[in-house]
Amino acid sequence: MTTTIATHTLDAPGATITYDVRGTLGAGTPLLLIGSPMDAQGFATLAGYFADRPVVTYDPRGTARSTRTDGHGEITPDDHAGDLQRVVEAIGGGPVDVLASSGGAVNALAWVARHGEHVRTLVAHEPPLATMLPDRLAVTSAIEDMYETYQRDGLGPAMAKFLIIVSYDGEFPDGYRFPPVDPAQFGLPVEDDGSRDDALLGQNLRNCTGYRLDLEALRASGARIVPARGEASHQTLAARGADAVAQAIGVEPARFPGDHAGFLGGEYGMHGEPDAFAQRLREVLDGA
């Protein structure tokens, strides 16, 4: 059976937000699949496992089809939280279930702290919250170094540092410094094209990792919040973020197959374990 996909847009302050609805609204609790800065394309495989209910994906402001009208510059999780609320209102309101990954998990936590009444269950998969970690000062310093590299040298050198930091296994030592890195080793551009509007490095990086959750509001939220980490993620930054959020709100983190990209089925050339990931997501949403 082929699931129909309807694409919609809505106006938001400073942006036009594009979202997709698979299936028929009203035929079960909608499932939102959200990332950041990853757009809707990254959930194409995972969405196919939930043809029994409506699935909503969207492009965060400043990425893909969700164009900004306010120029460039940095965006906050609270900006994204407002957009998530607009999308849910546009599809008829809650309750909804949510699988939010990476920066999308940070944005969803910011949203649920304010509008938990619209969410039944939020699975917050590997939020890269440096603010929650014991080595927060070292991590924040490394992220600032990465941002300054982007502003000074462009995409390639900064993205090479990003790949190092997201794969670093364990706590960052005080005074951490990046090793010498050649962007070409990662297949990244060496030349600076002069642009500074990359969705990750230019718009979301610092405010996402540096976001401070309203833990009191999350604990009091009517939503069921399930921080989640990949079984193969070890002690990488985003997985540790999930562990820290779980501890802070007094729940156990759920373990999902694969690593940070466990749900991908070939998108961006990356292969996770989408079949097992989808099965585990069903179990968690059902309360298992």
Side-chain angles (χ1 to χ4, degrees):
M1 181 178 68
T2 301
T3 301
T4 60
I5 303 176
T7 299
H8 307 270
T9 61
L10 59 84
D11 292 328
T16 298
I17 305 301
T18 299
Y19 67 96
D20 304 307
V21 178
R22 289 171 169 80
T24 303
L25 292 172
T29 301
L31 172 62
L32 272 65
L33 304 176
I34 60 177
S36 180
M38 188 184 77
D39 57 49
Q41 176 185 344
F43 292 107
T45 298
L46 185 62
Y49 288 94
F50 293 90
D52 57 322
R53 63 192 296 180
V55 176
V56 180
T57 56
Y58 92 123
D59 296 345
R61 65 169 58 212
T63 66
R65 302 164 298 171
S66 289
T67 56
R68 295 178 65 178
T69 58
D70 60 355
H72 301 299
E74 295 181 273
I75 305 171
T76 71
D78 289 328
D79 295 328
H80 291 298
D83 293 337
L84 291 172
Q85 180 63 20
R86 293 180 186 95
V87 170
V88 169
E89 290 173 351
I91 65 171
V96 299
D97 288 332
V98 185
L99 180 279
S101 187
S102 193
V106 178
N107 301 339
L109 288 164
W111 172 44
V112 167
R114 291 188 288 175
H115 295 288
E117 70 276 10
H118 293 286
V119 177
R120 187 171 68 172
T121 298
L122 164 62
V123 180
H125 181 251
E126 300 209 349
L129 283 162
T131 52
M132 301 291 292
L133 304 179
D135 51 336
R136 64 181 66 88
L137 295 180
V139 175
T140 300
S141 178
I143 290 169
E144 189 64 28
D145 180 304
M146 191 191 320
Y147 180 79
E148 291 173 358
T149 298
Y150 177 62
Q151 296 298 329
R152 182 182 64 245
D153 302 326
L155 179 68
M159 187 59 73
K161 289 185 174 181
F162 174 78
L163 294 175
I164 290 172
I165 200 172
V166 297
S167 60
Y168 192 93
D169 191 358
E171 292 189 12
F172 285 73
D174 292 341
Y176 173 81
R177 294 291 182 269
F178 286 100
V181 57
D182 179 3
Q185 293 178 337
F186 297 95
L188 294 166
V190 175
E191 300 297 325
D192 182 2
D193 66 3
S195 66
R196 296 294 184 269
D197 58 354
D198 181 74
L200 170 65
L201 298 168
Q203 298 184 58
N204 289 286
L205 176 68
R206 295 195 299 180
N207 287 331
C208 174
T209 57
Y211 191 72
R212 295 188 179 278
L213 297 177
D214 186 340
L215 294 171
E216 183 176 350
L218 289 173
R219 295 186 194 103
S221 170
R224 174 174 168 250
I225 301 171
V226 183
R229 53 130 62 235
E231 292 177 329
S233 292
H234 305 295
Q235 292 300 308
T236 50
L237 189 156
R240 293 195 294 130
D243 294 340
V245 173
Q247 182 177 19
I249 64 174
V251 300
E252 287 294 320
R255 301 181 73 87
F256 273 69
D259 56 16
H260 194 64
F263 54 86
L264 292 178
E267 295 87 351
Y268 317 111
M270 302 174 69
H271 294 269
E273 302 177 40
D275 185 82
F277 192 102
Q279 180 178 343
R280 179 61 176 142
L281 179 56
R282 282 190 182 276
E283 293 171 353
V284 173
L285 293 177
D286 289 341

